[in-house]
Amino acid sequence: EVQLVESGGGLVQPGGSLRLSCAASGFAFSTYWMHWVRQAPGKGLVWVSRINSDGSSTTYTDSVKGRFTISRDNAKNTLYLQMNSLRAEDTAVYYCTVGLGDYWGQGTLVTVSS
Amino acid sequence: DVVMTQSPLSLPVTLGQPASISCRSSQSLVYSDGNTYLNWFQQRPGQSPRRLIYKVSNRDSGVPDRFSGSGSGTDFTLKISRVEAEDVGVYYCMQGTHWPWTFGQGTKVEIK
């Protein structure tokens, strides 16, 4: 059974940092592209970032470029999102997803507020 | 970015009746490999999104056959042949042809 379990969310002040993790199991993690998608409270889905199977290629949506870094550890079957210089508009549930949205985690809530 | 426009945004449906959601893209979703990367997702209240349909018309494993997808180019449709209570939620179309991948605004399906 495919499982994606996100962690690392919480309350952080504007300008602060958080690192999200996504532990994957039940599939060949090292062979799949992985993604982060976020959903602000009561709003729709927004693709944030993606990383290829070996971590050599990453892409970001414009609003997070230069502030967020996606990475992965294939030995640990874990995906990461390092989020720096956080803003109020980054407040959202962050989901990790595999492939073309084949499977999703339960999400982790990031709240940026003073 | 490719803009995905769904209609309607709210869809009250009687149990057992059909429902249809339209999704239009601002650019063709045909990729250079010939595939059209248009997916449909369901998000039930309080849950994560779940993919129902991939590449326009392919149902994911475990998805009831009352769900079907169709379309081409820039115009796509998700149909539910007979709505059941468990179908309540928000439905999103999503294009995976052009980066950044983008979603429609979502269509809220509720029971009348």
Side-chain angles (χ1 to χ4, degrees), chain A residues 39-55:
Chain A
Q39 186 171 35
K43 301 295 185 183
L45 300 164
V46 176
W47 224 282
V48 174
S49 182
R50 65 179 179 179
I51 187 168
N52 70 343
S53 57
D54 66 6

Side-chain angles (χ1 to χ4, degrees), chain A residues 39 45 95 103-105, chain B residues 41-43 47-51 92:
Chain A
Q39 186 171 35
L45 300 164
Y95 297 100
Y103 298 97
W104 296 64
Chain B
F41 294 86
Q42 175 195 60
Q43 189 174 30
Q47 294 188 13
S48 304
R50 166 201 182 194
R51 196 176 68 184
Y92 297 92

Side-chain angles (χ1 to χ4, degrees), chain A residues 7-100:
Chain A
S7 60
L11 174 64
V12 62
Q13 292 189 338
S17 298
L18 277 178
R19 188 173 88 151
L20 306 183
S21 299
C22 170
S25 60
F27 66 102
F29 178 78
S30 63
T31 65
Y32 283 88
W33 284 71
M34 295 294 297
H35 309 260
W36 288 100
V37 176
R38 69 184 180 184
Q39 186 171 35
K43 301 295 185 183
L45 300 164
V46 176
W47 224 282
V48 174
S49 182
R50 65 179 179 179
I51 187 168
N52 70 343
S53 57
D54 66 6
S56 61
S57 175
T58 60
T59 323
Y60 303 89
T61 194
D62 285 349
S63 61
V64 308
K65 277 180 187 173
R67 301 189 299 123
F68 289 12
T69 302
I70 190 172
S71 62
R72 65 193 296 161
D73 185 334
N74 286 344
K76 295 182 178 179
N77 285 355
T78 302
L79 174 72
Y80 302 101
L81 186 67
Q82 177 68 43
M83 303 187 296
N84 299 330
S85 303
L86 283 161
R87 306 167 180 167
E89 54 265 35
D90 295 319
T91 293
V93 174
Y94 285 73
Y95 297 100
C96 65
T97 179
V98 59
L100 257 170

